[in-house]
Amino acid sequence: MKALVVRLDGFAEVLLAGPAVRALATRANPVTVLCGPGGAPAARLLPHVDQIVVRDPPGTPEADDEALVRRLRADAYDVALVLDPDGPGPHSAGRLLREARVGRVGACGGPGADDALDTAAALGFRPRPGDDGRLRVLPTPDTAALTGNGPYVVVHPGAAPPDGAWDPDRCAAAVAALADAGHRVVVTGDPAESALTRYVSGNTAVDLGGRTDARRLAGVLRAADVAVTGAPGPAQLAAATGTPVVSLAPPDGPRRPHGVPGVLLEPDRGTARDVTAAVHRLLDERT
């Protein structure tokens, strides 16, 4: 049986599809993930993903839904799980799958990993015995050469979109406060955020801005004591590695990281002292 998982939004959302992917893989082979360009790096980290198909956003020069339909039809999928469907319209995932003649389609309107698992179960796919439904990623590399030796807290100050990021001055103050409290701090970010990570790191933190791809970032997060971030992708990636998260989330921002201890702080109210207290609370819970 050939299965297709459709998740066309971002990095965090594709990570949240991971438990459902594992459920489909109990009976289906291969399992393909159809995602957007931003979700593809996350799909490459998921266990039991055999193939990734990237759909360029409709309206972009690269978009070619007709070619995509031909490819999906040729692959002859027996079942598809559509997560967070985008509703009716000429560019909807449902239309693509109908034109691709997929045998059975289950659609999940909820945003979370548990919603996706429930929809997979309705299609007849349940997790393996002992699978706790948490997020997981493939084995990560040893990143000690990047972070240095010894325990540390990760601070990821950026966010996508940028207006969801925490204020840089507050992030820099949080890094300084964590360092004053005796923590080694590692600051992460993508290449476009290098100036931000350099500023936030100051003279106290290890600056890894622009030095990690998704797999190396997963390794950095796995080895961390706690991750502090307002970005949904790194927050869910930390959760997938089992690391607790202090989430600097606006009220309508990223969901709480799935399956790990976490503290939610509103970015317009949280202070450096609040961040440090939240980190200590999560560390106390681990001991």
Side-chain angles (χ1 to χ4, degrees), residues 69-208:
V69 166
R70 289 195 297 270
R71 176 175 180 176
L72 296 178
R73 187 181 297 171
D75 287 342
Y77 290 100
D78 302 291
V79 62
L81 176 60
V82 183
L83 303 180
D84 199 19
D86 50 5
H91 302 296
S92 71
R95 181 195 66 83
L96 288 176
L97 298 181
R98 287 192 298 273
E99 294 187 4
R101 301 172 186 166
V102 176
R104 282 193 304 152
V105 177
C108 170
D114 292 335
D115 301 305
L117 275 174
D118 289 343
T119 306
L123 287 170
F125 299 91
R126 297 185 180 277
R128 290 175 174 80
D131 189 329
D132 58 11
R134 295 188 181 188
L135 307 188
R136 296 181 191 166
V137 291
L138 295 168
T140 59
D142 184 347
T143 54
L146 291 172
T147 62
N149 294 319
Y152 59 88
V153 173
V154 165
V155 174
H156 188 99
D163 59 7
W166 209 36
D167 178 77
D169 290 332
R170 293 192 181 200
C171 269
V175 167
L178 287 166
D180 287 345
H183 300 285
R184 239 174 27 95
V185 182
V186 173
V187 177
T188 57
D190 64 31
E193 297 165 337
S194 295
L196 172 64
T197 61
R198 186 165 54 251
Y199 173 74
V200 168
S201 298
N203 296 319
T204 58
V206 177
D207 178 11
L208 295 186

Side-chain angles (χ1 to χ4, degrees), residues 1 4 10 38 54-55 74 76 82 88 102 110 148 164 180 195 208 228 238-239 269 274:
M1 182 186 300
L4 180 69
V54 177
R55 182 198 189 191
V82 183
V102 176
D180 287 345
L208 295 186
V228 180
R269 298 180 184 175
D274 294 327

